[in-house]
Amino acid sequence: MEYTDRILEYFKEITGIPRESGNEERMREYLIRFAHTRGLECRTDSVGNVCIVKEAAPGKENVSTLVLQGHQDMVCEKTAGSTHNFLTDPIDYVIEDGWMIARETTLGADDGIGVAAMLMILGSELPTGKIECVFTTSEETGMDGAFGMQKGFFTGKTLINLDSEDEGQLFIGCAGGVDTTATFAFNNEALNDDFKVLKVSITNGLGGHSGDEINKGRMNAVKALSTFLASEDGHGLQLVSIDGGNKPNAIPRECSAVIAVPDADATSSRFAEFSKALANEYADTDPDVEFGILPAYSESPAVCAQVTSAFLKAMAACPHGVIAMSRDIEGLVETSTNLASVKMAGDGKIVVVTSQRSSVTTSREEIAKAVADCFRTGGAVVEHHSEYPGWKPNPDSPILRACVSSYRKLFGREPQVKAIHAGLECGLFEEKFGGLDMISFGPTLRGVHAPGERLDLASLERFTAHLIDVITNCNQTV
Ligand SMILES: [Zn+2]
């Protein structure tokens, strides 16, 4: 109880420190000051990572070093009407019915609560071996801190990552990923005088995270609209513009296109049929999708016929969704791809962004190549970027055994052992430094990365008890 309260106090303090990804200076200063006022060894590096060391308690000098790790930054999202300024304002929250809830913004419990837990431990007299607390930067925007970290920044070989959001679940693996971008260059073509211009759109899909939610059967608006347009190509369509999706890691919720067609009525009735079939297909998993087709006006010319055909064929052929499930861990998506966005880039270019994930490196490479080939065949220039490695589960991990038996002892039930189909910094640590024994767990958070993000306070108590039990008892036999 007491330790949980201390974590909560630290976390409340942290909610007052602006720390958007890339803007973590004040958080870093806070951490350095924290270490100095307590006489703790503290190091930083050129990318803003901080490591604070708690020396072993008397009698624990022979216990091998344990690394605790979380990220300093937070995702900064707010509601449409909010006047919150993430560069200056503290996060406004309420505590209600056992939850700590941000009012109009993200709460930043991802990963402020992991940071707060480390501060509690660093400031405590808990009887542990030597502990290195590692605070990374810009995890949410590409794991820049973990990417930039040099060998030797921490020395322990057992690492507990505190950046998971389901209490009672222990994570022992994650997916690696890569983004694949295709650029189509085109010439302009005049709109046919006899053609009618239409704006067709698919909107209001649920979307979601392209890792965690790729297996939920949600509609991909970009994929769906492209499929319709590809079929209209056979009826002589001219494509003026297309715009859909946003971030590489989000399933696109909407897509619209301006087209010109020889027979607007025929196109409209084919679209109505297409919409009906699609609404049926997604009646259970994405029920509120809306379809629109309206007369429009365009001053812009069309994309030349040749590129239009090649582009739409490639979009229709490009895979989206789950490619393979894991055979080792039930229910885990092993490999997936997200057809994330399509935009007119100006100067005669259409840019398509896709994102592939897999816990198996060769499978990730295979699906990224398949997507790339699909667009290259259509004449696009393709690039891969933002690659990060996965973390392969080790069911025989000593830290996993310690965490499972501690959980069983404390709560009389089994924790779930899982891997996630999303990225964690653990994958990078393993690739860069090697020979690490790692696990990830945390208290329950809901709605992370969105306004109204909340922290389950009862789960925070269990998390605290579990973490303390593990760090005071693990690594003893080394
Ligand atoms: Zn996080």
Side-chain angles (χ1 to χ4, degrees):
M1 198 47 183
E2 182 202 353
Y3 289 114
T4 310
D5 287 345
R6 278 195 231 169
I7 294 181
L8 210 51
E9 282 315 305
Y10 282 122
F11 180 53
K12 287 176 182 171
E13 215 166 290
I14 292 168
T15 59
I17 307 171
R19 56 198 163 85
E20 184 164 20
S21 310
N23 257 320
E24 298 104 337
E25 301 81 18
R26 271 167 289 183
M27 191 62 216
R28 184 161 61 250
E29 284 161 16
Y30 171 87
L31 292 170
I32 294 168
R33 211 176 324 119
F34 176 95
H36 284 171
T37 53
R38 287 165 182 77
L40 299 170
E41 181 190 334
C42 173
R43 45 182 178 265
T44 58
D45 64 13
S46 59
V47 286
N49 296 312
V50 176
C51 178
I52 306 178
V53 183
K54 180 182 188 291
E55 291 301 333
K60 295 268 185 168
E61 295 83 354
N62 294 325
V63 174
S64 61
T65 302
L66 177 68
V67 184
L68 301 180
Q69 185 264 323
H71 60 88
Q72 298 175 39
D73 60 313
M74 67 177 275
V75 171
C76 293
E77 290 285 335
K78 58 183 180 182
T79 54
S82 170
T83 55
H84 185 90
N85 181 347
F86 281 107
L87 291 176
T88 51
D89 301 348
I91 302 294
D92 188 18
Y93 59 84
V94 287
I95 292 187
E96 229 172 60
D97 301 330
W99 293 84
M100 180 172 177
I101 311 164
R103 281 181 203 269
E104 295 184 338
T105 63
T106 35
L107 179 63
D110 169 13
D111 189 21
I113 201 70
V115 170
M118 288 191 274
L119 296 179
M120 183 281 285
I121 288 160
L122 286 167
S124 77
E125 302 289 323
L126 286 164
T128 68
K130 181 174 174 177
I131 292 183
E132 295 171 316
C133 290
V134 174
F135 306 86
T136 51
T137 50
S138 298
E139 188 271 347
E140 300 287 3
T141 49
M143 305 190 192
D144 297 357
F147 262 105
M149 192 182 289
Q150 300 294 310
K151 203 174 172 119
F153 190 68
F154 63 81
T155 63
K157 289 291 177 194
T158 306
L159 184 147
I160 301 177
N161 169 283
L162 302 171
D163 188 22
S164 293
E165 52 210 47
D166 289 286
E167 193 277 330
Q169 302 187 359
L170 306 174
F171 292 91
I172 60 166
C174 73
V178 66
D179 292 349
T180 302
T181 299
T183 305
F184 289 85
F186 62 86
N187 292 314
N188 288 324
E189 188 178 278
L191 286 182
N192 195 317
D193 282 344
D194 308 333
F195 280 22
K196 291 269 176 335
V197 179
L198 297 172
K199 181 172 181 180
V200 1
S201 62
I202 301 181
T203 55
N204 208 38
L206 284 167
H209 189 272
S210 70
D212 296 342
E213 294 174 314
I214 196 75
N215 59 344
K216 293 193 173 163
R218 294 187 180 161
M219 190 210 46
N220 178 327
V222 168
K223 176 77 183 166
L225 190 61
S226 301
T227 304
F228 174 73
L229 297 178
S231 70
E232 280 303 290
D233 191 36
H235 299 282
L237 132 158
Q238 287 187 296
L239 177 69
V240 177
S241 66
I242 180 164
D243 181 4
N246 189 12
K247 295 177 179 166
N249 64 359
I251 299 163
R253 302 164 48 239
E254 43 196 42
C255 186
S256 64
V258 176
I259 57 176
V261 294
D263 183 344
D265 290 342
T267 295
S268 296
S269 78
R270 281 190 295 267
F271 187 65
E273 236 168 80
F274 174 83
S275 309
K276 212 166 123 193
L278 213 68
N280 238 339
E281 187 182 335
Y282 291 101
D284 293 331
T285 53
D286 211 341
D288 300 324
V289 177
E290 289 167 13
F291 303 89
I293 186 160
L294 289 168
Y297 173 76
S298 174
E299 276 185 1
S300 313
V303 175
C304 61
Q306 191 195 350
V307 173
T308 296
S309 280
F311 160 72
L312 290 175
K313 276 201 185 77
M315 292 293 278
C318 177
H320 170 82
V322 175
I323 302 296
M325 299 296 289
S326 166
R327 279 182 294 256
D328 300 325
I329 297 180
E330 210 191 305
L332 173 70
V333 176
E334 185 171 277
T335 306
S336 73
T337 179
N338 181 36
L339 178 51
S341 72
V342 58
K343 304 272 171 205
M344 308 302 288
D347 66 349
K349 294 201 170 74
I350 306 173
V351 177
V352 184
V353 178
T354 72
S355 163
Q356 292 74 45
R357 300 172 191 267
S358 180
S359 36
V360 180
T361 307
T362 47
S363 304
R364 185 187 77 223
E365 287 165 357
E366 249 169 58
I367 182 64
K369 185 175 181 306
V371 169
D373 285 349
C374 174
F375 287 111
R376 276 198 192 106
T377 308
V381 174
V382 179
E383 281 174 357
H384 299 290
H385 50 96
S386 306
E387 187 169 4
Y388 59 89
W391 165 30
K392 196 175 180 318
N394 169 19
D396 291 327
S397 138
I399 188 65
L400 172 63
R401 273 201 298 278
C403 289
V404 168
S405 71
S406 161
Y407 198 90
R408 205 183 280 146
K409 177 184 79 184
L410 291 173
F411 307 118
R413 59 187 152 95
E414 290 294 309
Q416 287 176 275
V417 176
K418 292 184 131 183
I420 54 172
H421 190 57
L424 281 173
E425 290 160 299
C426 298
L428 268 172
F429 296 141
E430 179 57 28
E431 187 189 67
K432 290 170 71 101
F433 310 133
L436 296 171
D437 183 24
M438 297 183 288
I439 197 160
S440 175
F441 59 89
T444 299
L445 311 180
R446 287 292 170 261
V448 296
H449 298 190
E453 174 187 349
R454 57 200 203 274
L455 161 68
D456 176 347
L457 296 172
S459 79
L460 180 64
E461 264 180 53
R462 290 190 297 275
F463 160 75
T464 307
H466 186 216
L467 181 64
I468 289 176
D469 190 63
V470 168
I471 66 171
T472 49
N473 293 307
C474 76
N475 278 0
Q476 302 288 18
T477 52
V478 185

